[in-house]
């Protein structure tokens, strides 16, 4: 069941509004005013079933946590703990009063990412790019591919032997040479040994 985010800042009898206690020029506070939270809530509300199941966490809270995770480069476990200790994190996620408990369990962020899926992540990416306007458009992009996996295979002795045997069998078939043995069965077993053996 979808839980709606609080929209109005109203002080209680014994405390003041959280935003009134924080620096309005802080980058997180300024960023929170530029993000279209209502559009994100309308988009992600489609991933929830109305009136069925346990109450969910507010969408602004979960989206805010995901954005903070990437802005601050934190793990899920570290993020929820830092959120409890940081009033600016709480204000960024739409809290009206300072919270003394963690916002959710770290695994709920995993479930939320699975819930919104690829389409939801693309929506967040488009929103973040849109905030930068023309500054997000760059003529050249430098990409470091030193840790990117390459589509290569290493020429070990076993692989070279299999390649030679297969090539010779093709040549023999092409020129009509009859062979006593083709070693096809042996190469199949050798492929399995190479795949599962610890030391190639």
């Amino acid at each position: 069941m979808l839980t709606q985010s609080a929209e109005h800042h109203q002080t209680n009898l014994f405390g003041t509004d959280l935003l009134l206690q924080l620096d309005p020029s802080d980058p997180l506070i300024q960023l929170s005013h530029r993000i279209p939270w209502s559009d994100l809530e309308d988009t992600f509300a489609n991933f929830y079933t109305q009136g069925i199941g346990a109450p969910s966490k507010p969408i602004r809270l979960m989206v805010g946590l995901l954005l903070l995770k990437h802005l601050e480069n934190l793990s899920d476990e570290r993020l929820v703990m830092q959120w409890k200790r940081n009033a600016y994190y709480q204000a960024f996620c739409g809290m009206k009063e300072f919270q003394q408990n963690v916002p959710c369990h770290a695994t709920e962020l995993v479930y939320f990412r699975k819930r919104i899926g690829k389409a939801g992540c693309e929506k967040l990416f488009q929103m973040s790019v849109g905030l930068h306007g023309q500054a997000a458009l760059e003529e050249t992009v430098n990409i470091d591919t030193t840790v990117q996996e390459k589509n290569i295979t290493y020429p070990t002795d076993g692989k070279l032997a299999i390649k030679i045997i297969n090539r010779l069998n093709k040549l023999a078939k092409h020129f009509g040479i009859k062979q006593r043995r083709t070693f096809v069965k042996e190469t199949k077993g050798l492929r399995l040994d190479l795949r599962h053996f610890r030391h190639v």
Side-chain angles (χ1 to χ4, degrees):
M1 183 173 63
L2 179 61
T3 300
Q4 298 295 333
S5 301
E7 297 181 358
H8 303 287
H9 286 267
Q10 181 176 356
T11 57
N12 58 29
L13 183 61
F14 303 104
T16 58
D17 194 327
L18 181 59
L19 284 179
L20 298 178
Q21 304 175 44
L22 302 177
D23 180 12
S25 62
D26 186 85
L28 277 181
I29 301 299
Q30 293 181 352
L31 178 61
S32 68
H33 294 318
R34 295 190 59 192
I35 295 176
W37 297 108
S38 58
D39 294 343
L40 294 175
E41 289 183 353
D42 293 340
T43 301
F44 294 146
N46 298 326
F47 297 104
Y48 291 86
T49 303
Q50 298 292 340
I52 299 178
S56 67
K57 300 292 183 183
I59 291 179
R60 175 169 178 177
L61 171 64
M62 301 306 291
V63 171
L65 288 172
L66 287 184
L67 294 176
L68 288 172
K69 172 184 172 64
H70 293 287
L71 284 173
E72 304 294 336
N73 195 23
L74 298 172
S75 64
D76 292 344
E77 294 80 6
R78 190 72 177 168
L79 173 64
V80 294
M81 186 56 63
Q82 290 296 328
W83 188 93
K84 174 186 174 183
R85 299 171 179 171
N86 196 322
Y88 287 93
Y89 284 10
Q90 296 186 17
F92 179 80
C93 294
M95 296 295 106
K96 314 307 177 189
E97 300 174 359
F98 185 78
Q99 307 295 314
Q100 298 180 350
N101 299 318
V102 294
C104 62
H105 195 273
T107 55
E108 293 188 49
L109 292 170
V110 179
Y111 297 141
F112 183 74
R113 285 193 292 267
K114 290 181 179 179
R115 182 185 294 271
I116 64 177
K118 181 180 178 181
C121 293
E122 289 179 352
K123 174 69 176 179
L124 290 177
F125 180 73
Q126 292 174 358
M127 181 273 301
S128 62
V129 172
L131 291 177
H132 294 85
Q134 295 295 327
L137 302 177
E138 297 183 1
E139 295 181 359
T140 59
V141 178
N142 297 324
I143 301 175
D144 183 10
T145 62
T146 54
V147 296
Q148 184 177 355
E149 293 184 1
K150 305 295 190 297
N151 187 19
I152 61 175
T153 179
Y154 294 99
T156 59
D157 293 341
K159 290 180 182 179
L160 290 175
I162 293 174
K163 191 173 183 180
I164 291 171
I165 292 172
N166 291 335
R167 181 62 178 167
L168 291 175
N169 286 333
K170 287 182 180 179
L171 289 173
K173 185 177 180 180
H174 177 72
F175 290 104
I177 300 174
K178 294 183 179 181
Q179 299 175 273
R180 288 177 51 194
R181 295 183 61 185
T182 59
F183 297 96
V184 173
K185 183 177 180 181
E186 287 78 2
T187 56
K188 289 182 179 179
L190 182 58
R191 286 183 186 274
L192 293 175
D193 291 340
L194 289 173
R195 178 174 296 179
H196 301 293
F197 194 58
R198 181 171 296 178
H199 301 289
V200 178

